[in-house]
Amino acid sequence: MLDDTHQFLESAATRLGLSNEVLAQLKRADAEHIFDVELSDGQSYKAYRVQHNHQRGPYKGGIRFHPQVNLDEVRTLATLMSLKTAAVGLPLGGGKGGIAVDPRQLSQAQLEELSRKYAAALYPHIGPDKDIPAPDVNTDATIIDWMVDEYEKLTGDSSHASFTGKSIEKGGSLGRDAATGRGGVLALEELLRLDKADTKGLTVAIQGYGNVGSYFGTILQERHKDWQLVAVSDSEAALYSEKGLDAVRLQEYKTGRGRFKAYDEGGTQVITNDDLLALRVDVLVLAGFEDTVTKENAKTVHVPYVVEMANGPVTKAAYDLLSAHGCVILPDIIANAGGVIVSYLEWVQNLQKEKWPESKVNQELASHMKRAVEETYHYAQQEAISLKESAFILALQKLTETSRL
Ligand code: GLU
């Protein structure tokens, strides 16, 4: 994944005529914090925070709890964050953190201890004007609240602006939970409008029905009564219904820890994850993990539009194959930027001691998204390049404009 990201970065840098020195700098992170978090039961977990680039503002990016977290992954995701914040015009840099842990194996008390110790180990390096972490895969407002609490105890800061994705009571923003999913739907709408696509009866499949995927589904259904969500999946299985699925019901099912392989309600069919990728739908939403569509399974994907809601869900080789068949891929650094856009709005509210109504948050989110998609689309048209190339070039341009390199 790091190689793939660097390849996209290299070709964007070449187009912009950036020197090798600048490119090397962009591939390197400013700082990498690697440490072990040891719990009182003696178990120890590898933890990371990579601070990639802060030319546009404080480092920004989530913290992921997952057994597969490793330095290369965190480096890649941190790099993508720098590009993402630049792509959507936020005055922020890029970073990412993670702990190699399966949080489902931990008790609530162990999870709290892990979260607090992670924040305690990092506190000198983070803060409202240095690095502002947020949730990512398997981390949520409860975990972030523990981290903020720990940070504030150690530093005396009381702005709550050291982390975003907090609960509303602890200074979180309305709309943050749903923001990544909502941003994705708004980005897709804008793309389809610019592309003059016929959206009547549009069919959609969502691979990965977790926080991001399920909000994508419910918001899509709320905004487009005539579009049809025909398939969704989790890590074990997928559900399919030709007549359309109920996004809200399935979100409740997943929140209650239900597993799709055991779902048997109202005429839905259990299919495999591979089957889902091969469905002839209009829009395939990839909201799981990186490297989901690869050179191997790309041959089975036949859809006009792919939305990258995960970071890097289509490998470079798969991307080339899909693009060659005319598939339009809405790139991750735009499609899933809704989360960090509303994180930025949360940070602004904290610093200004304000609490905005959800309608204002959503309006700001929509205008950031619309602008980013429009800019990316028009530049892609003008240069006859893909949306991914366009997004990377524009992001890199903004990043190096403000750079002291
Ligand atoms: N984890 C999210 C991302 O990958 C959000 C980051 C943030 O809000 O800082 O974009």
Side-chain angles (χ1 to χ4, degrees):
M1 194 196 182
L2 188 59
D3 286 348
D4 281 2
T5 305
H6 283 169
Q7 272 190 49
F8 282 120
L9 208 60
E10 268 160 36
S11 61
T14 308
R15 267 192 108 99
L16 287 171
L18 301 180
S19 69
N20 285 341
E21 200 193 332
V22 173
L23 178 63
Q25 173 96 29
L26 288 163
K27 286 184 180 175
R28 234 186 355 250
D30 290 346
E32 298 184 339
H33 306 279
I34 304 160
F35 49 100
D36 294 308
V37 177
E38 196 181 316
L39 299 190
S40 41
D41 63 6
Q43 266 294 341
S44 173
Y45 301 92
K46 255 288 151 281
Y48 309 87
R49 182 75 184 170
V50 171
Q51 297 173 317
H52 178 257
N53 188 297
H54 71 149
Q55 298 297 342
R56 295 178 54 84
Y59 303 105
K60 186 86 194 81
I63 300 164
R64 167 176 299 207
F65 286 2
H66 194 272
Q68 254 102 54
V69 163
N70 60 69
L71 184 56
D72 255 16
E73 184 194 54
V74 185
R75 278 181 177 152
T76 315
L77 296 169
T79 311
L80 288 174
M81 282 309 303
S82 301
L83 294 167
K84 197 186 298 187
T85 50
V88 294
L90 303 176
L92 295 168
K96 200 78 170 198
I99 306 183
V101 62
D102 181 355
R104 287 170 309 183
Q105 307 293 329
L106 300 186
S107 67
Q108 191 74 353
Q110 286 170 320
L111 198 59
E112 176 168 355
E113 191 187 355
L114 185 72
S115 308
R116 287 186 179 276
K117 284 190 167 160
Y118 179 85
L122 271 180
Y123 90 88
H125 310 290
I126 58 176
D129 54 1
K130 277 191 214 156
D131 181 356
I132 311 137
D136 198 80
V137 173
N138 292 333
T139 49
D140 57 12
T142 307
I143 290 174
I144 296 296
D145 282 357
W146 289 326
M147 292 190 179
V148 178
D149 189 54
E150 200 59 32
Y151 176 83
E152 297 196 341
K153 262 199 249 167
L154 290 163
T155 59
D157 173 66
S158 59
S159 67
H160 300 334
S162 50
F163 286 76
T164 59
K166 302 174 289 287
S167 67
I168 304 301
E169 304 79 68
K170 288 268 155 59
S173 176
L174 292 168
R176 175 63 185 85
D177 248 12
T180 312
R182 179 177 299 278
V185 174
L186 297 170
L188 172 64
E189 286 171 0
E190 192 56 23
L191 170 64
L192 296 172
R193 185 185 71 78
L194 291 163
D195 234 11
K196 300 189 176 56
D198 177 10
T199 58
K200 206 162 166 282
L202 193 92
T203 53
V204 180
I206 303 178
Q207 178 270 337
Y209 209 66
N211 176 281
V212 172
S214 64
Y215 274 119
F216 191 107
T218 54
I219 291 165
L220 180 114
Q221 209 153 66
E222 185 188 291
R223 293 173 64 89
H224 300 279
K225 305 279 180 250
D226 63 325
W227 292 7
Q228 239 176 25
L229 176 64
V230 295
V232 295
S233 70
D234 60 20
S235 58
E236 298 169 323
L239 293 179
Y240 173 75
S241 167
E242 201 188 345
K243 294 202 197 78
L245 299 162
D246 180 348
V248 177
R249 168 73 196 109
L250 293 173
Q251 187 178 45
E252 284 163 7
Y253 182 73
K254 281 317 285 181
T255 318
R257 291 184 166 257
R259 301 160 85 168
F260 285 152
K261 70 174 181 190
Y263 190 85
D264 107 43
E265 277 178 38
T268 52
Q269 202 183 324
V270 177
I271 59 172
T272 66
N273 268 303
D274 289 342
D275 293 339
L276 180 140
L277 294 181
L279 288 173
R280 305 278 172 137
V281 288
D282 298 311
V283 181
L284 172 63
V285 179
L286 301 171
F289 284 95
E290 52 259 30
D291 301 344
T292 298
V293 180
T294 60
K295 193 168 70 197
E296 283 70 41
N297 62 13
K299 297 178 196 78
T300 67
V301 176
H302 297 281
V303 295
Y305 293 98
V306 166
V307 184
E308 290 190 319
M309 291 306 290
N311 292 305
V314 180
T315 66
K316 173 77 170 67
Y319 170 87
D320 291 340
L321 281 169
L322 292 181
S323 304
H325 289 125
C327 172
V328 177
I329 304 172
L330 188 57
D332 49 6
I333 61 168
I334 303 285
N336 71 29
V340 74
I341 292 171
V342 176
S343 268
Y344 164 68
L345 302 174
E346 178 177 331
W347 180 64
V348 170
Q349 291 173 72
N350 295 151
L351 293 177
Q352 299 179 347
K353 299 192 180 1
E354 289 179 0
K355 277 189 187 299
W356 299 353
E358 191 169 348
S359 55
K360 174 168 171 161
V361 174
N362 289 345
Q363 214 172 3
E364 286 281 332
L365 167 61
S367 69
H368 271 88
M369 257 314 170
K370 198 170 149 48
R371 204 179 322 128
V373 177
E374 253 172 21
E375 204 181 50
T376 308
Y377 187 88
H378 290 313
Y379 188 68
Q381 293 273 309
Q382 183 195 311
E383 301 292 311
I385 53 178
S386 71
L387 293 175
K388 185 105 168 181
E389 290 167 297
S390 169
F392 266 62
I393 293 169
L394 294 173
L396 217 51
Q397 203 166 32
K398 288 180 196 156
L399 208 63
T400 46
E401 248 166 33
T402 45
S403 155
R404 280 175 253 116
L405 291 169

